[in-house]
Amino acid sequence: MSKKSVVTEAQEIRLAIELINLGARLQLLESETTLSRERLLKLYKELKGVSPPKGMLPFSTDWFITWQPNIHSSLFINIYNYLVEHAGISGIEAVMKAYKLYLEQAEPESGEEAVLSLTRAWTLVRFFESKMLQTACCKECSGHFVVHQLDLHNHYVCGLCHMPSRAGKTKKARDAAASIAVAA
């Protein structure tokens, strides 16, 4: 094995480790590294102590359009686009850096998972690259939000300016309010 291929394999392993630590699914790892599936499985089990989750990757653009995921997806894709345009990075490096910045801004509560996983963020970028999704400017706040490519966007109003009536009324929020009421 030449020195170059050893360095490349070491870089691939470092990339895989970083992706796993950010929560990447096995399919993402296979797509973004040249490591074998068996090697990735071993690495995942070594780092996480469990086998990687099974199942298909998200394949629908609709998840990114629903209220809360849209806000998080829009935050991520705006960070990603800024990095690509101004920081001179691209590919998986841009996805990882944008995702880390997204996590800093949308830090989940302890024990909670971020609304947008790394795998969904990576999928979102792929949907943008394939022109299935784009951003539209909200006519009220001028923010840029994820929308379907073929929808009409002339008078677009985002989910922050026009919140759905049930926004934030989840069972978890109801339970938290009830526990506060009981404690008082």
Side-chain angles (χ1 to χ4, degrees):
M1 215 185 257
S2 71
K3 186 174 182 178
K4 183 175 181 179
S5 62
V6 171
V7 171
T8 302
E9 185 172 356
Q11 290 171 337
E12 291 287 316
I13 291 169
R14 274 196 293 279
L15 174 62
I17 289 170
E18 192 170 355
L19 287 168
I20 291 167
N21 287 332
L22 285 172
R25 298 266 304 265
L26 192 60
Q27 296 94 324
L28 189 158
L29 296 169
E30 288 178 305
S31 180
E32 294 297 334
T33 69
T34 58
L35 300 173
S36 70
R37 182 176 180 84
E38 293 74 28
R39 184 81 183 260
L40 291 169
L41 281 167
K42 278 184 180 179
L43 200 53
Y44 194 98
K45 286 179 186 178
E46 187 178 322
L47 290 170
K48 295 288 189 175
V50 294
S51 295
K54 294 180 176 18
M56 294 173 51
L57 290 181
F59 60 88
S60 172
T61 57
D62 294 339
W63 184 87
F64 299 101
I65 305 302
T66 59
W67 180 71
Q68 187 181 33
N70 184 263
I71 293 164
H72 287 260
S73 300
S74 299
L75 174 61
F76 168 80
I77 203 66
N78 282 296
I79 294 169
Y80 173 83
N81 287 338
Y82 183 87
L83 289 175
V84 168
E85 290 174 29
H86 301 287
I89 58 174
S90 61
I92 194 65
E93 182 184 0
V95 172
M96 291 187 320
K97 286 187 190 247
Y99 189 71
K100 288 175 188 175
L101 289 168
Y102 156 76
L103 289 176
E104 287 178 16
Q105 298 305 309
E107 189 174 338
E109 298 291 322
S110 65
E112 298 283 318
E113 289 185 25
V115 172
L116 186 69
S117 68
L118 176 67
T119 301
R120 284 207 188 262
W122 176 76
T123 303
L124 177 64
V125 169
R126 293 178 69 166
F127 284 151
F128 268 77
E129 289 171 350
S130 64
K131 307 266 190 264
M132 295 171 75
L133 294 173
Q134 67 178 36
T135 59
C137 185
C138 174
K139 72 176 188 166
E140 293 186 17
C141 69
S142 300
H144 293 268
F145 293 84
V146 175
V147 294
H148 283 116
Q149 175 77 21
L150 299 175
D151 286 351
L152 299 175
H153 311 113
N154 293 348
H155 303 288
Y156 178 76
V157 178
C158 72
L160 291 172
C161 292
H162 183 72
M163 283 192 186
S165 59
R166 297 200 39 87
K169 296 182 181 171
T170 62
K171 183 180 182 319
K172 187 195 276 182
R174 236 184 359 260
D175 292 346
S179 67
I180 291 170
V182 168

Short mmCIF file of all heavy atoms in Angstrom, two decimals, residues 61-114:
data_model
loop_
_atom_site.label_atom_id
_atom_site.label_comp_id
_atom_site.label_asym_id
_atom_site.label_seq_id
_atom_site.Cartn_x
_atom_site.Cartn_y
_atom_site.Cartn_z
N THR A 61 -39.85 15.14 0.31
CA THR A 61 -39.59 16.55 0.56
C THR A 61 -40.62 17.14 1.52
O THR A 61 -40.38 18.20 2.11
CB THR A 61 -39.63 17.35 -0.76
OG1 THR A 61 -40.91 17.14 -1.38
CG2 THR A 61 -38.52 16.92 -1.68
N ASP A 62 -41.75 16.48 1.70
CA ASP A 62 -42.84 17.03 2.50
C ASP A 62 -42.47 17.29 3.95
O ASP A 62 -42.94 18.25 4.56
CB ASP A 62 -44.07 16.12 2.45
CG ASP A 62 -44.68 16.07 1.06
OD1 ASP A 62 -44.44 17.00 0.26
OD2 ASP A 62 -45.40 15.10 0.77
N TRP A 63 -41.60 16.45 4.55
CA TRP A 63 -41.21 16.63 5.95
C TRP A 63 -40.60 18.01 6.14
O TRP A 63 -40.83 18.66 7.15
CB TRP A 63 -40.22 15.53 6.36
CG TRP A 63 -39.84 15.61 7.80
CD1 TRP A 63 -40.50 15.04 8.86
CD2 TRP A 63 -38.73 16.31 8.37
NE1 TRP A 63 -39.86 15.34 10.04
CE2 TRP A 63 -38.76 16.12 9.78
CE3 TRP A 63 -37.70 17.08 7.84
CZ2 TRP A 63 -37.82 16.66 10.63
CZ3 TRP A 63 -36.75 17.62 8.71
CH2 TRP A 63 -36.82 17.41 10.09
N PHE A 64 -39.81 18.48 5.18
CA PHE A 64 -39.11 19.75 5.29
C PHE A 64 -40.03 20.96 5.19
O PHE A 64 -39.63 22.07 5.49
CB PHE A 64 -38.01 19.85 4.22
CG PHE A 64 -36.98 18.78 4.35
CD1 PHE A 64 -37.00 17.66 3.52
CD2 PHE A 64 -35.97 18.86 5.31
CE1 PHE A 64 -36.06 16.66 3.64
CE2 PHE A 64 -35.02 17.86 5.44
CZ PHE A 64 -35.06 16.76 4.60
N ILE A 65 -41.26 20.74 4.77
CA ILE A 65 -42.22 21.82 4.56
C ILE A 65 -43.14 22.00 5.77
O ILE A 65 -43.69 23.07 5.97
CB ILE A 65 -43.05 21.57 3.28
CG1 ILE A 65 -42.14 21.35 2.07
CG2 ILE A 65 -44.03 22.68 3.00
CD1 ILE A 65 -41.17 22.48 1.77
N THR A 66 -43.28 20.96 6.61
CA THR A 66 -44.15 21.08 7.78
C THR A 66 -43.57 22.12 8.74
O THR A 66 -42.38 22.41 8.72
CB THR A 66 -44.33 19.72 8.48
OG1 THR A 66 -43.06 19.23 8.87
CG2 THR A 66 -45.04 18.73 7.58
N TRP A 67 -44.41 22.66 9.61
CA TRP A 67 -44.10 23.88 10.37
C TRP A 67 -42.75 23.85 11.09
O TRP A 67 -41.84 24.59 10.72
CB TRP A 67 -45.24 24.17 11.36
CG TRP A 67 -44.97 25.40 12.16
CD1 TRP A 67 -45.00 26.68 11.70
CD2 TRP A 67 -44.57 25.46 13.52
NE1 TRP A 67 -44.67 27.54 12.73
CE2 TRP A 67 -44.40 26.81 13.86
CE3 TRP A 67 -44.35 24.50 14.51
CZ2 TRP A 67 -44.03 27.24 15.12
CZ3 TRP A 67 -43.99 24.92 15.77
CH2 TRP A 67 -43.82 26.28 16.06
N GLN A 68 -42.59 23.06 12.13
CA GLN A 68 -41.34 23.10 12.90
C GLN A 68 -40.13 22.61 12.10
O GLN A 68 -39.08 23.27 12.11
CB GLN A 68 -41.49 22.29 14.19
CG GLN A 68 -40.29 22.43 15.10
CD GLN A 68 -40.43 21.62 16.37
OE1 GLN A 68 -41.03 20.55 16.36
NE2 GLN A 68 -39.88 22.13 17.46
N PRO A 69 -40.23 21.49 11.38
CA PRO A 69 -39.09 21.08 10.56
C PRO A 69 -38.70 22.14 9.52
O PRO A 69 -37.53 22.29 9.20
CB PRO A 69 -39.57 19.79 9.89
CG PRO A 69 -40.56 19.23 10.85
CD PRO A 69 -41.26 20.44 11.41
N ASN A 70 -39.67 22.90 9.01
CA ASN A 70 -39.36 23.93 8.03
C ASN A 70 -38.50 25.02 8.62
O ASN A 70 -37.55 25.50 7.98
CB ASN A 70 -40.64 24.52 7.43
CG ASN A 70 -40.34 25.53 6.35
OD1 ASN A 70 -40.32 26.74 6.59
ND2 ASN A 70 -40.08 25.03 5.16
N ILE A 71 -38.77 25.40 9.84
CA ILE A 71 -37.99 26.46 10.50
C ILE A 71 -36.55 25.97 10.69
O ILE A 71 -35.59 26.69 10.36
CB ILE A 71 -38.63 26.86 11.84
CG1 ILE A 71 -39.99 27.53 11.56
CG2 ILE A 71 -37.72 27.78 12.64
CD1 ILE A 71 -40.89 27.64 12.76
N HIS A 72 -36.39 24.75 11.17
CA HIS A 72 -35.06 24.20 11.40
C HIS A 72 -34.32 23.95 10.08
O HIS A 72 -33.13 24.23 9.97
CB HIS A 72 -35.16 22.92 12.23
CG HIS A 72 -35.48 23.19 13.66
ND1 HIS A 72 -34.54 23.20 14.66
CD2 HIS A 72 -36.67 23.51 14.26
CE1 HIS A 72 -35.11 23.50 15.81
NE2 HIS A 72 -36.41 23.69 15.60
N SER A 73 -35.03 23.42 9.10
CA SER A 73 -34.43 23.17 7.79
C SER A 73 -34.00 24.47 7.13
O SER A 73 -32.94 24.53 6.50
CB SER A 73 -35.42 22.44 6.87
OG SER A 73 -35.81 21.22 7.43
N SER A 74 -34.81 25.49 7.28
CA SER A 74 -34.48 26.79 6.69
C SER A 74 -33.25 27.40 7.36
O SER A 74 -32.38 27.95 6.67
CB SER A 74 -35.68 27.74 6.81
OG SER A 74 -36.79 27.21 6.11
N LEU A 75 -33.16 27.27 8.67
CA LEU A 75 -31.98 27.75 9.38
C LEU A 75 -30.73 27.03 8.87
O LEU A 75 -29.74 27.66 8.51
CB LEU A 75 -32.14 27.53 10.89
CG LEU A 75 -30.92 27.86 11.76
CD1 LEU A 75 -30.54 29.32 11.64
CD2 LEU A 75 -31.20 27.48 13.21
N PHE A 76 -30.82 25.71 8.79
CA PHE A 76 -29.68 24.93 8.32
C PHE A 76 -29.28 25.30 6.89
O PHE A 76 -28.11 25.54 6.61
CB PHE A 76 -29.95 23.42 8.40
CG PHE A 76 -28.91 22.62 7.67
CD1 PHE A 76 -27.68 22.36 8.25
CD2 PHE A 76 -29.13 22.20 6.37
CE1 PHE A 76 -26.69 21.67 7.57
CE2 PHE A 76 -28.15 21.50 5.67
CZ PHE A 76 -26.93 21.24 6.27
N ILE A 77 -30.24 25.34 5.97
CA ILE A 77 -29.89 25.55 4.55
C ILE A 77 -29.34 26.95 4.33
O ILE A 77 -28.48 27.15 3.47
CB ILE A 77 -31.07 25.24 3.61
CG1 ILE A 77 -30.55 24.90 2.20
CG2 ILE A 77 -32.08 26.36 3.54
CD1 ILE A 77 -29.76 23.64 2.08
N ASN A 78 -29.79 27.93 5.13
CA ASN A 78 -29.22 29.28 5.01
C ASN A 78 -27.78 29.31 5.50
O ASN A 78 -26.93 29.96 4.89
CB ASN A 78 -30.09 30.29 5.75
CG ASN A 78 -31.32 30.66 4.95
OD1 ASN A 78 -31.22 31.24 3.87
ND2 ASN A 78 -32.49 30.30 5.46
N ILE A 79 -27.49 28.60 6.57
CA ILE A 79 -26.10 28.49 7.05
C ILE A 79 -25.25 27.79 5.99
O ILE A 79 -24.16 28.23 5.65
CB ILE A 79 -26.03 27.73 8.39
CG1 ILE A 79 -26.72 28.53 9.50
CG2 ILE A 79 -24.58 27.42 8.76
CD1 ILE A 79 -26.94 27.74 10.79
N TYR A 80 -25.77 26.68 5.47
CA TYR A 80 -25.06 25.90 4.45
C TYR A 80 -24.75 26.76 3.22
O TYR A 80 -23.61 26.80 2.75
CB TYR A 80 -25.89 24.67 4.05
CG TYR A 80 -25.33 23.90 2.90
CD1 TYR A 80 -24.32 22.97 3.09
CD2 TYR A 80 -25.79 24.13 1.60
CE1 TYR A 80 -23.79 22.26 2.02
CE2 TYR A 80 -25.26 23.43 0.53
CZ TYR A 80 -24.27 22.51 0.74
OH TYR A 80 -23.73 21.82 -0.33
N ASN A 81 -25.76 27.46 2.72
CA ASN A 81 -25.57 28.30 1.53
C ASN A 81 -24.54 29.39 1.78
O ASN A 81 -23.72 29.70 0.91
CB ASN A 81 -26.90 28.91 1.08
CG ASN A 81 -27.81 27.89 0.43
OD1 ASN A 81 -27.36 26.85 -0.06
ND2 ASN A 81 -29.10 28.16 0.44
N TYR A 82 -24.57 29.98 2.97
CA TYR A 82 -23.59 31.02 3.31
C TYR A 82 -22.18 30.45 3.29
O TYR A 82 -21.26 31.05 2.73
CB TYR A 82 -23.91 31.63 4.68
CG TYR A 82 -22.98 32.75 5.03
CD1 TYR A 82 -23.25 34.05 4.61
CD2 TYR A 82 -21.80 32.52 5.74
CE1 TYR A 82 -22.39 35.10 4.91
CE2 TYR A 82 -20.93 33.56 6.03
CZ TYR A 82 -21.22 34.84 5.62
OH TYR A 82 -20.36 35.86 5.89
N LEU A 83 -22.00 29.27 3.89
CA LEU A 83 -20.66 28.65 3.92
C LEU A 83 -20.17 28.32 2.51
O LEU A 83 -19.01 28.55 2.19
CB LEU A 83 -20.68 27.39 4.78
CG LEU A 83 -20.81 27.60 6.28
CD1 LEU A 83 -20.95 26.27 7.00
CD2 LEU A 83 -19.64 28.39 6.83
N VAL A 84 -21.05 27.79 1.68
CA VAL A 84 -20.66 27.44 0.32
C VAL A 84 -20.28 28.70 -0.47
O VAL A 84 -19.28 28.72 -1.18
CB VAL A 84 -21.79 26.65 -0.40
CG1 VAL A 84 -21.53 26.52 -1.89
CG2 VAL A 84 -21.95 25.27 0.24
N GLU A 85 -21.05 29.76 -0.31
CA GLU A 85 -20.80 31.00 -1.05
C GLU A 85 -19.60 31.79 -0.53
O GLU A 85 -18.88 32.40 -1.31
CB GLU A 85 -22.04 31.90 -1.01
CG GLU A 85 -23.20 31.37 -1.83
CD GLU A 85 -24.46 32.20 -1.65
OE1 GLU A 85 -24.35 33.43 -1.38
OE2 GLU A 85 -25.56 31.63 -1.78
N HIS A 86 -19.38 31.80 0.79
CA HIS A 86 -18.39 32.71 1.36
C HIS A 86 -17.18 32.06 2.02
O HIS A 86 -16.19 32.74 2.25
CB HIS A 86 -19.06 33.64 2.37
CG HIS A 86 -20.16 34.47 1.77
ND1 HIS A 86 -19.92 35.53 0.93
CD2 HIS A 86 -21.50 34.36 1.87
CE1 HIS A 86 -21.07 36.05 0.54
NE2 HIS A 86 -22.05 35.36 1.10
N ALA A 87 -17.27 30.77 2.35
CA ALA A 87 -16.15 30.13 3.06
C ALA A 87 -15.34 29.22 2.15
O ALA A 87 -14.34 28.65 2.58
CB ALA A 87 -16.66 29.34 4.26
N GLY A 88 -15.76 29.08 0.92
CA GLY A 88 -15.01 28.27 -0.03
C GLY A 88 -14.97 26.78 0.29
O GLY A 88 -14.01 26.11 -0.04
N ILE A 89 -16.01 26.28 0.95
CA ILE A 89 -16.07 24.84 1.21
C ILE A 89 -17.28 24.27 0.50
O ILE A 89 -18.21 24.98 0.15
CB ILE A 89 -16.12 24.52 2.72
CG1 ILE A 89 -17.32 25.19 3.39
CG2 ILE A 89 -14.83 24.90 3.40
CD1 ILE A 89 -17.51 24.79 4.84
N SER A 90 -17.27 22.96 0.32
CA SER A 90 -18.40 22.31 -0.36
C SER A 90 -18.49 20.86 0.09
O SER A 90 -17.70 20.41 0.91
CB SER A 90 -18.22 22.40 -1.88
OG SER A 90 -17.04 21.73 -2.26
N GLY A 91 -19.46 20.17 -0.48
CA GLY A 91 -19.61 18.75 -0.21
C GLY A 91 -19.92 18.45 1.24
O GLY A 91 -20.53 19.25 1.95
N ILE A 92 -19.46 17.29 1.68
CA ILE A 92 -19.77 16.83 3.04
C ILE A 92 -19.14 17.73 4.09
O ILE A 92 -19.70 17.91 5.18
CB ILE A 92 -19.37 15.35 3.23
CG1 ILE A 92 -19.99 14.77 4.51
CG2 ILE A 92 -17.86 15.17 3.21
CD1 ILE A 92 -21.49 14.69 4.51
N GLU A 93 -18.02 18.37 3.77
CA GLU A 93 -17.39 19.30 4.71
C GLU A 93 -18.34 20.47 5.01
O GLU A 93 -18.50 20.86 6.16
CB GLU A 93 -16.06 19.82 4.16
CG GLU A 93 -15.35 20.75 5.10
CD GLU A 93 -14.07 21.35 4.52
OE1 GLU A 93 -13.72 21.05 3.37
OE2 GLU A 93 -13.44 22.13 5.24
N ALA A 94 -18.97 21.01 3.99
CA ALA A 94 -19.92 22.11 4.17
C ALA A 94 -21.14 21.64 4.96
O ALA A 94 -21.64 22.38 5.82
CB ALA A 94 -20.34 22.68 2.82
N VAL A 95 -21.61 20.44 4.67
CA VAL A 95 -22.77 19.91 5.40
C VAL A 95 -22.43 19.77 6.89
O VAL A 95 -23.20 20.19 7.76
CB VAL A 95 -23.22 18.55 4.82
CG1 VAL A 95 -24.30 17.90 5.69
CG2 VAL A 95 -23.74 18.72 3.39
N MET A 96 -21.26 19.21 7.19
CA MET A 96 -20.87 19.01 8.59
C MET A 96 -20.68 20.33 9.32
O MET A 96 -21.16 20.50 10.44
CB MET A 96 -19.59 18.18 8.68
CG MET A 96 -19.78 16.74 8.28
SD MET A 96 -18.37 15.64 8.55
CE MET A 96 -16.97 16.61 8.12
N LYS A 97 -20.01 21.29 8.70
CA LYS A 97 -19.79 22.59 9.36
C LYS A 97 -21.12 23.32 9.56
O LYS A 97 -21.36 23.91 10.61
CB LYS A 97 -18.82 23.44 8.56
CG LYS A 97 -17.39 22.95 8.69
CD LYS A 97 -16.41 23.88 8.04
CE LYS A 97 -15.07 23.22 7.98
NZ LYS A 97 -14.04 23.75 8.75
N ALA A 98 -21.98 23.29 8.54
CA ALA A 98 -23.28 23.94 8.66
C ALA A 98 -24.12 23.26 9.74
O ALA A 98 -24.82 23.94 10.51
CB ALA A 98 -24.01 23.91 7.32
N TYR A 99 -24.03 21.95 9.83
CA TYR A 99 -24.81 21.23 10.83
C TYR A 99 -24.32 21.57 12.25
O TYR A 99 -25.12 21.76 13.16
CB TYR A 99 -24.74 19.72 10.59
CG TYR A 99 -25.71 18.96 11.47
CD1 TYR A 99 -27.08 19.05 11.25
CD2 TYR A 99 -25.26 18.21 12.54
CE1 TYR A 99 -27.98 18.38 12.07
CE2 TYR A 99 -26.16 17.54 13.37
CZ TYR A 99 -27.51 17.63 13.12
OH TYR A 99 -28.41 16.98 13.95
N LYS A 100 -23.01 21.68 12.43
CA LYS A 100 -22.48 22.05 13.74
C LYS A 100 -22.95 23.46 14.12
O LYS A 100 -23.32 23.71 15.28
CB LYS A 100 -20.95 21.99 13.73
CG LYS A 100 -20.40 20.58 13.70
CD LYS A 100 -18.89 20.61 13.57
CE LYS A 100 -18.31 19.23 13.35
NZ LYS A 100 -16.86 19.28 13.13
N LEU A 101 -22.93 24.38 13.17
CA LEU A 101 -23.42 25.74 13.43
C LEU A 101 -24.92 25.74 13.72
O LEU A 101 -25.40 26.47 14.59
CB LEU A 101 -23.08 26.67 12.27
CG LEU A 101 -21.60 27.01 12.13
CD1 LEU A 101 -21.32 27.70 10.80
CD2 LEU A 101 -21.15 27.89 13.29
N TYR A 102 -25.66 24.92 12.98
CA TYR A 102 -27.11 24.78 13.24
C TYR A 102 -27.33 24.31 14.67
O TYR A 102 -28.18 24.86 15.39
CB TYR A 102 -27.73 23.80 12.23
CG TYR A 102 -29.00 23.16 12.74
CD1 TYR A 102 -30.20 23.87 12.78
CD2 TYR A 102 -29.00 21.85 13.21
CE1 TYR A 102 -31.37 23.29 13.27
CE2 TYR A 102 -30.16 21.26 13.70
CZ TYR A 102 -31.33 21.98 13.73
OH TYR A 102 -32.48 21.41 14.23
N LEU A 103 -26.58 23.28 15.11
CA LEU A 103 -26.74 22.77 16.47
C LEU A 103 -26.43 23.83 17.52
O LEU A 103 -27.07 23.86 18.58
CB LEU A 103 -25.85 21.55 16.69
CG LEU A 103 -26.27 20.27 15.98
CD1 LEU A 103 -25.24 19.16 16.22
CD2 LEU A 103 -27.66 19.81 16.40
N GLU A 104 -25.47 24.72 17.24
CA GLU A 104 -25.17 25.80 18.18
C GLU A 104 -26.35 26.76 18.31
O GLU A 104 -26.60 27.29 19.39
CB GLU A 104 -23.95 26.59 17.72
CG GLU A 104 -22.64 25.85 17.89
CD GLU A 104 -21.45 26.66 17.38
OE1 GLU A 104 -21.58 27.88 17.18
OE2 GLU A 104 -20.39 26.04 17.19
N GLN A 105 -27.08 26.98 17.22
CA GLN A 105 -28.21 27.92 17.23
C GLN A 105 -29.50 27.27 17.73
O GLN A 105 -30.34 27.95 18.32
CB GLN A 105 -28.43 28.50 15.83
CG GLN A 105 -27.27 29.29 15.30
CD GLN A 105 -26.85 30.40 16.25
OE1 GLN A 105 -27.66 31.20 16.68
NE2 GLN A 105 -25.56 30.44 16.58
N ALA A 106 -29.69 26.00 17.45
CA ALA A 106 -30.93 25.30 17.81
C ALA A 106 -30.61 24.18 18.78
O ALA A 106 -31.04 23.05 18.60
CB ALA A 106 -31.59 24.75 16.54
N GLU A 107 -29.85 24.51 19.81
CA GLU A 107 -29.38 23.51 20.76
C GLU A 107 -30.57 22.82 21.43
O GLU A 107 -31.40 23.48 22.06
CB GLU A 107 -28.49 24.18 21.80
CG GLU A 107 -27.78 23.21 22.70
CD GLU A 107 -26.80 23.92 23.61
OE1 GLU A 107 -26.37 25.04 23.29
OE2 GLU A 107 -26.49 23.34 24.65
N PRO A 108 -30.64 21.49 21.29
CA PRO A 108 -31.76 20.77 21.92
C PRO A 108 -31.58 20.72 23.43
O PRO A 108 -30.46 20.84 23.95
CB PRO A 108 -31.68 19.37 21.30
CG PRO A 108 -30.31 19.24 20.75
CD PRO A 108 -29.78 20.62 20.51
N GLU A 109 -32.70 20.55 24.15
CA GLU A 109 -32.64 20.38 25.60
C GLU A 109 -31.85 19.12 25.91
O GLU A 109 -31.75 18.22 25.07
CB GLU A 109 -34.06 20.23 26.15
CG GLU A 109 -34.96 21.43 25.91
CD GLU A 109 -34.54 22.64 26.73
OE1 GLU A 109 -34.14 22.47 27.89
OE2 GLU A 109 -34.63 23.76 26.20
N SER A 110 -31.29 19.02 27.11
CA SER A 110 -30.51 17.83 27.45
C SER A 110 -31.42 16.61 27.39
O SER A 110 -32.55 16.63 27.86
CB SER A 110 -29.88 17.98 28.83
OG SER A 110 -30.89 18.03 29.82
N GLY A 111 -30.90 15.56 26.77
CA GLY A 111 -31.69 14.34 26.59
C GLY A 111 -32.58 14.36 25.35
O GLY A 111 -33.18 13.35 25.00
N GLU A 112 -32.69 15.49 24.72
CA GLU A 112 -33.51 15.63 23.51
C GLU A 112 -32.64 15.55 22.27
O GLU A 112 -31.44 15.82 22.33
CB GLU A 112 -34.23 16.98 23.51
CG GLU A 112 -35.18 17.19 24.65
CD GLU A 112 -36.49 16.45 24.47
OE1 GLU A 112 -37.01 16.44 23.35
OE2 GLU A 112 -36.96 15.86 25.46
N GLU A 113 -33.25 15.20 21.16
CA GLU A 113 -32.54 15.21 19.88
C GLU A 113 -32.90 16.47 19.12
O GLU A 113 -33.99 17.02 19.29
CB GLU A 113 -32.94 13.98 19.05
CG GLU A 113 -32.40 12.69 19.60
CD GLU A 113 -32.70 11.50 18.69
OE1 GLU A 113 -32.88 11.72 17.47
OE2 GLU A 113 -32.74 10.39 19.20
N ALA A 114 -32.00 16.91 18.28
CA ALA A 114 -32.28 18.08 17.43
C ALA A 114 -33.42 17.73 16.48
O ALA A 114 -33.59 16.57 16.08
CB ALA A 114 -31.04 18.46 16.65
#
